Amino acid sequence: MQLDSLLSILPELNKAFFETIYMVGISIIIAIVVGLPTGVLLFVTDKGLFLENTAFKSIVGFTVNMVRSIPFIILLIALLPLANLITGTTIGPTAASVSLSVAAIPFFARMVEQSLREIDKGVIEAAVAVGASPWMIIKDVLVPEAKPGIIQGITITVISLVAYSAMAGIVGGGGVGDLAIRFGYYRYDNTVMFTTVIILICLVQIFQFAGDRIARLVDKR
């Protein structure tokens, strides 16, 4: 019966898997597009750096910390009106991607900031001394030097998004988490529940392996 149960939901399982990839894909793209410049600005506006701006640093830093301090399940529910405004619905993977993106942006921004802090300050001072513009320092010094750390940050963010996407199933967000709740939890089907857990573990392992591999390839130190 357990095998029959699993075979009967294979089409749903296939659909849920690609919904999870879809949600995570959209969210990580938005996180990189918005979070990368935010993380760079958090770093370069810090005290003693070439774009020092205490007010900007405090406001953006507070906003980032505020969003990060909200548990994702609460953020997911609180942003349902925003998801409805943007996507026209509050259910499905596209709607869930709104909350996932909002959660991922500040998380990734802090990862970028931390990666930039690991750069030798002497490299930055040398660039400033030769008269490089702030944009040149960011583009030609900071980002290239921090590239391995940024890649690792993307990897960690993707893995976090996989976990968050599973929670999105609680509000009908779709994906593997939604399948686990509907077919595993509500129907007390342990076979389905274990299968979805294994899928999520394999997905995380693949992302971690790929991220580590790419980070090593781009690390020229």
Side-chain angles (χ1 to χ4, degrees), residues 1 16-17 20 34 36 58 62 68 72 89 93 108 175 177 198 221:
M1 284 297 293
F17 176 79
T20 296
V34 181
L36 179 59
S58 299
F62 173 78
R68 288 189 65 195
F72 179 69
T89 182
F108 181 60
I198 291 170
R221 292 173 292 182

Side-chain angles (χ1 to χ4, degrees), residues 174-216:
V176 176
D178 180 53
L179 187 74
I181 292 168
R182 287 190 294 116
F183 289 88
Y185 178 70
Y186 290 150
R187 298 185 183 182
Y188 302 100
D189 192 330
N190 290 332
T191 303
V192 174
M193 185 67 74
F194 290 148
T195 302
T196 56
V197 169
I198 291 170
I199 289 172
L200 291 173
I201 290 173
C202 291
L203 201 56
V204 166
Q205 293 300 320
I206 291 169
F207 285 136
Q208 185 68 64
F209 174 80
D212 290 343
R213 180 74 175 172
I214 295 170
R216 284 196 296 269

